[in-house]
Amino acid sequence: MYEVHVVEGEPGGFLLYERYADREGEERRSQLLDAALTLFAHRAPEEVSLDDVAEAAGVSRPLVYRYFPGGKQQLYEAALRSAAEELEHCFDEPREGPLLPRLARALDRYLAFVDQHDAGFSALLQGGSVVETSRTTAIVDGVRRAAAQHILSHLGVAAPGPRLRMTVRMWITAVEAASLIWLDEDKQPPLEELRDWLVDQFVAVLSVTARRDPQTAALVDALAADG
């Protein structure tokens, strides 16, 4: 959002002020999204009002409408999208070195997000709300699909078959569930142990699929040779 103002006597004053106002607006919008994510994580979205968001952010209700004129639904979707965009980047690991260490580094980022933004993570995966729409469902599903695409790319399989795709997507669902349970269990076991266990789970589900799918069997053999 831009504010129009001319600074007299200062060359380029208009541009400088405009950029400052834009940066300030983005910071305010981010503040509102953080407050909303925290509230949506601990209460059903339909039980959260814009007054609640304004109070949590320390601003007025009209200011919330200024940045989200569509009201709570727009704010809810924007908050989900903010968390989703960060999660989508977690599995964007350089394709260098052995696969499993790469997967471990991606999980480190993913679990660090869960640890540092536990409220936002819970809100992102919350379902069954009356404010849930096809758009909010698409946001959450987009995170899962992006993660699956990253992993399949790391596996180096040009045309993954349905069994391999299903295996990867099932594992991603397991990672989500384990992360939510980890939060519910007061963040135990330690993150490093949880990460290593999830990597082991990935190898285990691939091994099970390999018994029925030659493509996955070849991949498991390649992983074993990779060390």
Side-chain angles (χ1 to χ4, degrees), residues 49-66:
S49 69
L50 289 182
D51 287 330
D52 294 329
V53 176
E55 181 180 357
V59 302
S60 65
R61 191 172 193 267
L63 187 64
V64 179
Y65 268 111
R66 176 183 177 184

Side-chain angles (χ1 to χ4, degrees), residues 6 14 33 59 68-69 123 125 182-183 200-202 217:
V6 177
F14 169 81
L33 289 176
V59 302
F68 301 98
L125 297 183
W182 181 76
L183 291 174
D200 290 344
Q201 286 284 324
F202 182 69

Side-chain angles (χ1 to χ4, degrees), residues 15-78:
L15 180 61
L16 289 174
Y17 190 84
E18 186 179 38
R19 288 177 177 172
Y20 171 77
D22 185 54
R23 184 172 63 252
E24 186 179 41
E26 286 301 313
E27 291 174 354
R28 179 69 73 183
R29 188 175 187 276
S30 179
Q31 176 189 2
L32 293 172
L33 289 176
D34 288 344
L37 277 171
T38 299
L39 291 171
F40 289 142
H42 296 95
R43 292 156 57 184
E46 58 267 27
E47 296 176 0
V48 177
S49 69
L50 289 182
D51 287 330
D52 294 329
V53 176
E55 181 180 357
V59 302
S60 65
R61 191 172 193 267
L63 187 64
V64 179
Y65 268 111
R66 176 183 177 184
Y67 289 95
F68 301 98
K72 187 172 71 175
Q73 184 64 38
Q74 182 186 7
L75 176 60
Y76 179 60
E77 291 177 10

Side-chain angles (χ1 to χ4, degrees), residues 63-145:
L63 187 64
V64 179
Y65 268 111
R66 176 183 177 184
Y67 289 95
F68 301 98
K72 187 172 71 175
Q73 184 64 38
Q74 182 186 7
L75 176 60
Y76 179 60
E77 291 177 10
L80 289 183
R81 194 171 292 108
S82 175
E85 287 174 356
E86 187 168 348
L87 274 174
E88 285 181 8
H89 291 299
C90 289
F91 286 94
D92 190 11
E93 172 73 19
R95 288 154 182 78
E96 301 173 355
L99 172 65
L100 295 184
R102 277 184 270 155
L103 183 61
R105 289 192 294 270
L107 280 172
D108 279 337
R109 287 192 294 274
Y110 184 92
L111 295 173
F113 178 93
V114 175
D115 186 28
Q116 296 167 14
H117 306 86
D118 49 359
F121 181 81
S122 299
L124 176 65
L125 297 183
Q126 182 173 330
S129 168
V130 297
V131 298
E132 185 178 13
T133 66
S134 59
R135 291 189 300 274
T136 60
T137 301
I139 291 170
V140 176
D141 190 53
V143 175
R144 296 171 179 143
R145 290 183 180 277

Side-chain angles (χ1 to χ4, degrees), residues 111 114 121-122 125 173-189 194 197-198:
L111 295 173
V114 175
F121 181 81
S122 299
L125 297 183
T173 301
V175 170
E176 289 180 0
S179 300
L180 288 172
I181 294 170
W182 181 76
L183 291 174
D184 192 53
E185 292 287 341
D186 296 324
K187 299 185 176 181
Q188 291 297 323
L194 177 61
W197 179 68
L198 289 172

